[in-house]
Each structure stands twice: as C-alpha cells, then as structure tokens.
Amino acid sequence: MSRWLRDNALTVAMLGAFLIFLTLQSVFGWQVHNEELTQYGAAPLSWWAYLGTGHFAEAVFENWESEFLQMGGYVLLTAYLVQKGSAESKPEGQTDRPDDDARRATPDSPWPARVGGLPLAIYRNSLSIALLLIFAGSFLGHLLGGVVEYNQEQALESGAPPISAVQFLGTSDFWFQSMQNWQSEFLAVGVLILLSIVLRQHASPESKPVTAAHAETGA
C-alpha cells in the first residue's frame, strides 16, 4: 500500500482535495439554498434532498465546464502555438515528437501506437478529445441543472411558468454564468504561461530549471 500511495501520491492528493471541497461546497450550498427557500416561505430541504436540486447541479457543473474547456483548449493550443521562453510551451519550430512515429513503437507501447492507422490517429488526439468530451458533458449538466434552478427561482419570485432547457440556453443568465468562469480560467493559464518565463519553482515539472535562461523555451 505504501508503494502504491507513493506512486500515485499526486492523483490521491488532488482527488482527495476535490472530494473535501466538493463536500464542503454541498454543505454551504445547502445552507444558502435553505436560507433562500425560507425567505420565500418554502420548506427547507435535507442535505440529501439538496444534492438532487438544480442549485447544486448548476453550481458543480458550471465550474467543471470551465475547467475542462480550459484544459482541453490548453492541450490543443499548446500543440500548435508557442510562447518563447515559457516552460508551458514546446520549443519553437518543433512539430511532432520523434517518438510519435508508429515505426518507433515497441512491444510496451500502447496498442494503438503498435497497430497504427485510425486507432493511432484517434489515440494521438485522445487527451484533448477526452477533456473536451468531459467539457461537453459538464456543459449539458450545467444547462439541465441551471434550468431547474432558474425555473424554481422564477416560480418563487413571480410565479412565472417554467421554461425549457433550450429556452434557458438563450438567456443572458446562462451565458453570464458561463462567461464569468471561462474568462477566469483562461486568465489563470495565460498568467502561468507568462510567469513561467521569468519565475521558477524548484523541482516542479511546470517550471524550467532554476539555471535556465529566460529566453529558453520548454521545461
């Protein structure tokens, strides 16, 4: 077990933090939602009931959506664009890596790399595909959770009839929620790209070596 934890420590730490913060989000969100319900004279919900509400789903998927859009976009953009001096950029002039050639595959290589053809073409882009598919699922979750929450808010505030998910997609409310997260994600990545030109973090793969010149591109 100690060997397994050592080999997977980064994933365990990140997913452990995710579960802790998601649980805390649900608790505080539950309290906020019940306060809102009480203001309108509605009965408060149990914590378990809250987990099935649009309020919780919208908050969770709205953030996942922006995170996976950022990561999928980042993986794709770094395949084609460079930033001189940044640890987050591949060297200028580099196209494909030499080891991407199927002829260099070994018996230990993933099977798509060994068989070539369509499986290899898909596998070569599988990271960005997976991230963007998760983004698409999160976008749908945000839309479906958001329309439930929007309809409940409208019913409590003015008794307005519910709208469909397609109608909610055309509201400024939905896109305001999305854009306020999307812009912050790309700002954070842009700042990391620029700061990694002149700043260092010892032992981090996201940083160039401490002795590397500022103009040197790549980690």
Side-chain angles (χ1 to χ4, degrees), residues 104-203:
R104 294 177 176 266
T106 69
D108 293 329
S109 299
W111 73 267
R114 298 196 305 270
V115 301
L118 181 60
L120 176 59
I122 295 174
Y123 188 67
R124 282 164 61 97
N125 299 283
S126 57
L127 179 58
S128 59
I129 291 172
L131 291 170
L132 292 175
L133 284 175
I134 298 174
F135 159 71
S138 301
F139 185 91
L140 181 61
H142 173 203
L143 177 63
L144 296 179
V147 71
V148 171
E149 175 62 14
Y150 180 85
N151 285 334
Q152 183 179 46
E153 289 179 351
Q154 294 299 303
L156 290 172
E157 292 176 1
S158 61
I163 63 174
S164 67
V166 174
Q167 290 174 310
F168 183 58
L169 185 63
T171 64
S172 57
D173 190 70
F174 175 78
W175 291 106
F176 171 71
Q177 294 169 9
S178 293
M179 293 305 126
Q180 67 178 334
N181 285 301
W182 294 11
Q183 55 85 13
S184 64
E185 297 298 337
F186 283 95
L187 171 64
V189 173
V191 169
L192 174 61
I193 290 170
L194 289 174
L195 291 182
S196 69
I197 297 174
V198 297
L199 302 181
R200 310 286 187 269
Q201 177 55 57
H202 173 66

Side-chain angles (χ1 to χ4, degrees), residues 11-182:
T11 298
V12 170
M14 298 299 287
L15 293 183
F18 159 71
L19 291 175
I20 291 171
F21 292 132
L22 181 64
T23 300
L24 290 173
Q25 176 189 342
S26 71
V27 171
F28 293 125
W30 167 54
Q31 295 172 349
V32 169
H33 190 54
N34 277 341
E35 290 172 1
E36 294 173 347
L37 292 176
T38 302
Q39 290 175 359
Y40 291 104
L45 301 174
S46 68
W47 180 70
W48 282 109
Y50 171 71
L51 296 182
T53 64
H55 188 275
F56 179 67
E58 179 183 51
V60 170
F61 288 115
E62 177 186 336
N63 284 282
W64 289 10
E65 166 196 311
S66 60
E67 295 291 343
F68 287 106
L69 173 63
Q70 173 230 94
M71 294 306 299
Y74 181 57
V75 169
L76 274 176
L77 290 173
T78 53
Y80 301 102
L81 304 178
V82 299
Q83 171 57 58
K84 181 175 177 60
S86 175
E88 297 296 308
S89 172
K90 64 182 181 182
E92 294 177 276
Q94 176 180 300
T95 54
D96 289 343
R97 295 177 176 175
D99 57 358
D100 282 347
D101 191 332
R103 292 172 295 182
R104 294 177 176 266
T106 69
D108 293 329
S109 299
W111 73 267
R114 298 196 305 270
V115 301
L118 181 60
L120 176 59
I122 295 174
Y123 188 67
R124 282 164 61 97
N125 299 283
S126 57
L127 179 58
S128 59
I129 291 172
L131 291 170
L132 292 175
L133 284 175
I134 298 174
F135 159 71
S138 301
F139 185 91
L140 181 61
H142 173 203
L143 177 63
L144 296 179
V147 71
V148 171
E149 175 62 14
Y150 180 85
N151 285 334
Q152 183 179 46
E153 289 179 351
Q154 294 299 303
L156 290 172
E157 292 176 1
S158 61
I163 63 174
S164 67
V166 174
Q167 290 174 310
F168 183 58
L169 185 63
T171 64
S172 57
D173 190 70
F174 175 78
W175 291 106
F176 171 71
Q177 294 169 9
S178 293
M179 293 305 126
Q180 67 178 334
N181 285 301
W182 294 11

